Amino acid sequence: MPVKKTTSTAKSAPRSSKRTRKADLAPERIEELLRRLAAAYPNAECALIHRTPWELLVATILSAQCTDARVNMVTPELFRQFPTPRAMAEASPAAIEELIRTTGFYRNKAKSISGAAKRIVSEFGGKVPRTMDELLTVPGAARKTANVVLGVAYQQAEGVVVDTHVLRLSRRLGLTQETTPQKVEQDLMKIIPRDRWIAFSHELIHHGRQVCIARKPKCAECPLENICYSGDKTWTSI
Ligand code: SF4
């Protein structure tokens, strides 16, 4: 089959006018996308190292504007010194700041971690709560963080984690036209079966890191290529 290569320096082409939103969201296409993603990333899981829901919550707060690899470098010492919410609640903000400095935005993150620890101790008996409503009252836990904790630590699919990769890929794949994480999540929750919400996020995050990277997606080696109609493609067979 003849293939067409687009230049990597070319401006992103607009989405094909022949495609319609309805076609992008056809159940057969969604099913095929999910099937290929699951086949490509059968063991996709959260890359933040953690032993408890509390450690995952803290690691997720630290991961804002920071790589998971960097977070994984600071958390062992942080949890060695302050292993529980109670210990963290009693820590001085300066001590937390010093340990998380390299993750960036460390003053705000230390404030969130300290506030989260205090609330979890005072309101939830020292245990990270298991419901979205309760989690959203914890400092530093916005909806994305709450979805990570519920999905990964408690295997509860309350929503879809929408980070920078999930947002970018969902748009490239025509699953949404929205631009905010909240609205993208609402769209994804309508079209992805609930029992795939947790794995779907992990798979898309892995795909976004390894293949569908932001600046120059590796379309020639992408398992979704012939069902992807993005104007950002660097290579196409269709
Ligand atoms: S074909 Fe290219 S743009 Fe589409 S999902 Fe694959 S890597 Fe991303």
Side-chain angles (χ1 to χ4, degrees), residues 33 168-169 172-173 207 211-213 216-236:
L33 279 172
R168 180 180 74 255
L169 269 65
R172 280 181 172 167
L173 291 166
H207 193 54
V211 180
C212 191
I213 50 185
K216 197 175 173 189
K218 301 175 183 172
C219 305
E221 55 190 79
C222 176
L224 311 177
E225 191 279 321
N226 68 350
I227 50 172
C228 173
Y229 311 101
S230 170
D232 291 342
K233 284 172 78 170
T234 52
W235 184 91
T236 184

Side-chain angles (χ1 to χ4, degrees), residues 50-236:
H50 61 280
R51 295 168 297 185
T52 63
W54 164 248
E55 290 190 358
L56 179 60
L57 172 61
V58 173
T60 309
I61 290 171
L62 290 174
S63 71
Q65 308 289 316
C66 181
T67 64
D68 290 353
R70 169 61 61 186
V71 172
N72 290 339
M73 287 168 77
V74 310
T75 46
E77 183 57 20
L78 180 66
F79 297 135
R80 193 188 68 75
Q81 293 198 27
F82 308 114
T84 62
R86 196 167 299 278
M88 196 75 81
E90 288 166 3
S92 74
I96 300 173
E97 283 177 12
E98 196 49 40
L99 289 164
I100 66 170
R101 185 179 288 266
T102 57
T103 68
F105 303 98
Y106 61 93
R107 288 214 169 88
N108 279 342
K109 288 179 182 177
K111 207 168 151 197
S112 293
I113 291 168
S114 178
K118 286 177 178 145
R119 178 146 184 95
I120 286 170
V121 168
S122 66
E123 299 299 318
F124 302 109
K127 293 206 162 37
V128 177
R130 290 173 170 264
T131 69
M132 178 64 78
D133 286 349
E134 288 174 321
L135 267 171
L136 290 178
T137 70
V138 173
R143 190 162 171 103
K144 189 199 91 175
T145 302
N147 272 328
V148 171
V149 171
L150 290 171
V152 175
Y154 294 137
Q155 285 78 50
Q156 281 174 219
E158 293 297 323
V160 180
V161 173
V162 177
D163 74 345
T164 180
H165 299 292
V166 175
L167 194 149
R168 180 180 74 255
L169 269 65
S170 296
R171 286 174 54 81
R172 280 181 172 167
L173 291 166
L175 303 179
T176 184
Q177 294 179 321
E178 298 292 351
T179 53
T180 65
Q182 292 78 4
K183 289 190 171 169
V184 170
E185 184 187 0
Q186 283 168 19
D187 278 353
L188 294 176
M189 287 168 74
K190 284 183 208 140
I191 56 174
I192 307 294
R194 187 170 191 154
D195 64 358
R196 291 285 279 111
W197 287 356
I198 297 172
F200 172 75
S201 302
H202 293 321
E203 290 158 8
L204 230 49
I205 291 167
H206 278 66
H207 193 54
R209 285 183 176 148
Q210 293 170 26
V211 180
C212 191
I213 50 185
R215 295 180 69 136
K216 197 175 173 189
K218 301 175 183 172
C219 305
E221 55 190 79
C222 176
L224 311 177
E225 191 279 321
N226 68 350
I227 50 172
C228 173
Y229 311 101
S230 170
D232 291 342
K233 284 172 78 170
T234 52
W235 184 91
T236 184

